[in-house]
Amino acid sequence: MSRIQARFSALRKEGRGALIPYLQAYDPDYETSLALLKAMPKAGADAIEIGVPFSDPSADGPTIQAAALRGLKAGATLAGVLKMVEDFRTTDQETPIILMGYLNPIDSYGPERFCVDAAKAGVDGIIVVDMPREEADLLDTYAKREGLDIITLVAPTTTGERLRYVLDGASGFVYYVSITGITGTSSASREQLEEALPRLRQATDLPVAIGFGITTPEQAKTASRIGDAAIVASALIKTMASTLTAEGHATGSTVSSVIKQLEQLAAAVRS
């Protein structure tokens, strides 16, 4: 059983959904983002999504775009992000790690080499935002061979026919993009989520994680109960960015501020 399957199975027995925080690798520097990554499980992260900095993050709003630029300025590379996961695994062998990024860096790195190195580093799942199902064979064979889940993205606009097609053979969990638009710009209401989830449940037995626009503890609680997990990204990055110097450097409150916010989100999900 993979780490992702094991975690969702354990949470089902607890009777609650998961909290999945997001951080951008190398934001604002390698040491700070690694410290944040290592502190997240104790603060309540059930799994962690790591963004791979990319210069043209088309699905991301201004908050994550700025984080990606800080990460690139700090020297982020795909190999460096894998090294960060490897460093995390020296102290944590339990928490699922999912990389989220775009296809160009993976294609440049080499799809087979990427899957081999990602699995070796301790990655459990991959989200490739701009890779449609029709092009998934670029990674599918290598990912399956290495035991990596390619997480499928679906949106409110995904038709029933398309839903059946993209979820055929899916693994890990389904990432429900709860709004039409970019990250961090709006939020789906409880009513919208309650209307959307039954359609997804009919199409797959996989856990459904809800992301895009979840910012408050109450929203995280609602999403984790209507779905199987709440993914929080921009809200945590905004907090981190607010602690940086004018030059974009970390300060003494950078990690602690994000961890405090994560603890509040985790408390709501567990309440």
Side-chain angles (χ1 to χ4, degrees):
M1 181 182 289
S2 73
R3 270 188 286 255
I4 292 175
Q5 289 176 304
R7 183 53 55 96
F8 276 107
S9 177
L11 293 179
R12 273 195 295 272
K13 292 177 182 175
E14 289 184 29
R16 69 171 177 88
L19 175 63
I20 306 178
Y22 172 102
L23 66 86
Q24 188 79 206
Y26 280 73
D27 180 26
D29 55 70
Y30 181 91
E31 291 75 16
T32 302
S33 59
L34 178 60
L36 186 56
L37 176 62
K38 287 187 172 183
M40 281 182 160
K42 187 177 179 182
D46 296 302
I48 301 170
E49 187 182 336
I50 301 176
V52 179
F54 183 54
S55 59
D56 187 22
S58 55
D60 295 309
T63 299
I64 296 182
Q65 288 179 19
L69 292 177
R70 287 193 296 268
L72 291 171
K73 186 178 179 182
T77 62
L78 187 49
V81 177
L82 296 179
K83 173 65 167 55
M84 178 177 291
V85 177
E86 189 178 346
D87 287 346
F88 172 77
R89 287 289 179 223
T90 62
T91 58
D92 190 317
Q93 288 292 324
E94 303 296 328
T95 307
I97 294 292
I98 299 101
L99 293 190
M100 182 169 187
Y102 293 82
L103 193 54
N104 273 359
I106 295 173
D107 198 30
S108 297
Y109 192 92
E112 181 175 14
R113 178 183 167 221
F114 168 72
C115 290
V116 170
D117 289 354
K120 185 178 178 182
V123 173
D124 302 292
I126 308 164
I127 300 171
V128 186
V129 179
D130 56 349
M131 183 177 73
R133 182 72 182 88
E134 287 78 2
E135 295 179 16
D137 57 352
L138 183 73
L139 286 176
D140 261 351
T141 301
Y142 308 126
K144 287 177 181 173
R145 188 183 71 192
E146 301 302 327
L148 298 169
D149 291 315
I150 297 180
I151 310 300
T152 302
L153 293 158
V154 299
T157 53
T158 305
T159 64
E161 182 180 1
R162 181 70 181 169
L163 202 57
R164 287 190 293 275
Y165 175 70
V166 299
L167 293 179
D168 182 27
S171 63
F173 61 87
V174 177
Y175 191 129
Y176 179 58
V177 178
S178 61
I179 59 170
T180 52
I182 55 178
T183 60
T185 54
S186 62
S187 301
S189 67
R190 170 190 284 272
E191 291 72 24
Q192 289 171 319
L193 295 179
E194 287 177 337
E195 182 180 349
L197 265 290
R199 193 167 70 96
L200 297 179
R201 301 287 194 203
Q202 289 178 354
T204 181
D205 293 327
L206 291 173
V208 177
I210 299 173
F212 281 48
I214 297 174
T215 61
T216 68
E218 188 61 32
Q219 288 173 331
K221 176 181 176 180
T222 299
S224 68
R225 293 187 178 184
I226 297 174
D228 300 289
I231 299 174
V232 183
S234 294
L236 295 170
I237 292 177
K238 282 180 181 176
T239 296
M240 195 209 66
S242 71
T243 70
L244 304 180
T245 67
E247 293 75 30
H249 298 148
T251 62
S253 64
T254 297
V255 172
S256 60
S257 296
V258 177
I259 292 303
K260 182 179 179 181
Q261 185 181 15
L262 180 56
E263 289 171 342
Q264 293 169 346
L265 291 162
V269 168
R270 288 164 170 76
S271 64

